[in-house]
Amino acid sequence: MTMLGVQFISAVALYGLLALVDVSQAFKTVCYYDGKALWKKDVVKVGAEELKPALSYCTHLVYGYVGIDDDKYKAISLDPKLDLPESKDVKGGKGNFKSITALKKAYPSLTILLSVGGNADIEDPDKYLSVLETPKSRTKFASTISDMVKENGFDGLDLAWQFPVVTEKKEKHTWGSFIHKVAKTVGITSKDTKEAEHKEQFTALVREVKGVLNANNCPYLSVSVLPHVNSTVYFDFPGLQKYVDHFTLMVYDFRTPDRVPKLADHAAPFKFVYADRLAWQNIESQVNRAIALKADRSKLILGISTYARTWKMDKDSGKSGAPPVTADGPGEEGTYTKTEGLLAYYEICPHLVESTAATTSLTLYR
């Protein structure tokens, strides 16, 4: 179903959750919880109590995200007041880490993981490469992240490592009578000049992290492949999977208002859609790539987004509403998400009901 500038993915989880479907025969449903949802107000605030109705459908719950100290390469909370309890160092601490891990009392079969990275750690992103480059920095990170996992009652760790992303190289192109000066994708670029070394070093880090997690009796370890990260370049699946319990392929946000502000397009198509798009920008291609790289199929988890990316249409967008169409930057912010170009599923549903109303904005809907 398509509205103007909005790509809809089935809404299968509560706000703050990202449902993930295992593509193997072993059933897993990995649910994502954004800890910052506790700071939301009114009906969109999500803490431990609000999560409970969804948890009977989840086999795993991932708490996102923590980060890495810029200089010392130790694991740190990105929001101590949210994550940690009241102390002399943390005034007004909410203690959300332990509130979430306490859910295991009511859901004893639930595996709760702490996630690091996830593109939430925005200060000095190059540190995710630097920490890989020496045994000392890898050991420091492995030790401190494992201690954080153990001390707060998590069952293990998710490494959503912030590798450099693939960027789209574009040239001006014209598609038909109503699409003018659309950017045609002709290649990809990357910023890492030591890709092979970092691939080997990441495997070494995963091996060390797994060892410390085992020693701390919180042994579960998952690795997430974030959107726009080239899995061929950075992930040695055969070398990693002896230490990793599952891999999550975050196969969404291929096209967003931030990446292509002048082109409203499918954010997460299942298959290769048309020629003027990179062949890997679809779910099928990403799964096939992981399998071709000899990833264990029984350990692959497919990420499904439960939100919409939106664009504003312009005078050249045409009337079909079928992507790709020209656009004029991100769409209007949602009532609750307060972020341009993004709508939560519960913000989309009212638009579906009202889309035929006389008051419907012609610049927002199709």
Side-chain angles (χ1 to χ4, degrees), residues 54-103:
L55 293 183
S56 59
Y57 302 99
C58 305
T59 59
H60 298 65
L61 178 66
V62 179
Y63 185 115
Y65 287 100
V66 296
I68 303 174
D69 180 87
D70 288 2
D71 300 318
K72 299 178 181 178
Y73 301 129
K74 65 179 182 179
I76 58 170
S77 166
L78 296 176
D79 189 346
K81 189 173 180 180
L82 169 70
D83 298 329
L84 306 178
E86 175 82 22
S87 70
K88 65 178 182 180
D89 297 320
V90 183
K91 301 299 182 183
K94 297 293 185 181
N96 204 33
F97 278 165
K98 291 188 176 179
S99 294
I100 297 302
T101 56
L103 289 167

Side-chain angles (χ1 to χ4, degrees), residues 53 74 169 171 175 185 207 241 256 296 299 324 339:
K74 65 179 182 179
K169 182 180 178 182
E171 65 182 14
W175 293 344
T185 302
R207 179 173 60 247
Q241 54 204 17
T256 70
D296 183 344
K299 292 187 176 184
T339 302

Side-chain angles (χ1 to χ4, degrees), residues 17-37:
L17 288 177
L18 174 63
L20 304 168
V21 180
D22 192 352
V23 298
S24 74
Q25 294 180 351
F27 175 79
K28 293 187 182 73
T29 302
V30 181
C31 300
Y32 165 72
Y33 168 61
D34 184 353
K36 295 192 299 294

Side-chain angles (χ1 to χ4, degrees), residues 305-343:
S305 60
T306 58
Y307 54 81
R309 294 297 185 180
T310 69
W311 287 258
K312 291 180 182 178
M313 301 297 95
D314 62 22
K315 61 183 179 63
D316 295 320
S317 297
K319 298 180 179 180
S320 72
V325 296
T326 59
D328 185 24
E332 297 173 2
E333 65 180 31
T335 303
Y336 300 106
T337 50
K338 301 294 185 183
T339 302
E340 289 188 345
L342 175 70
L343 292 178

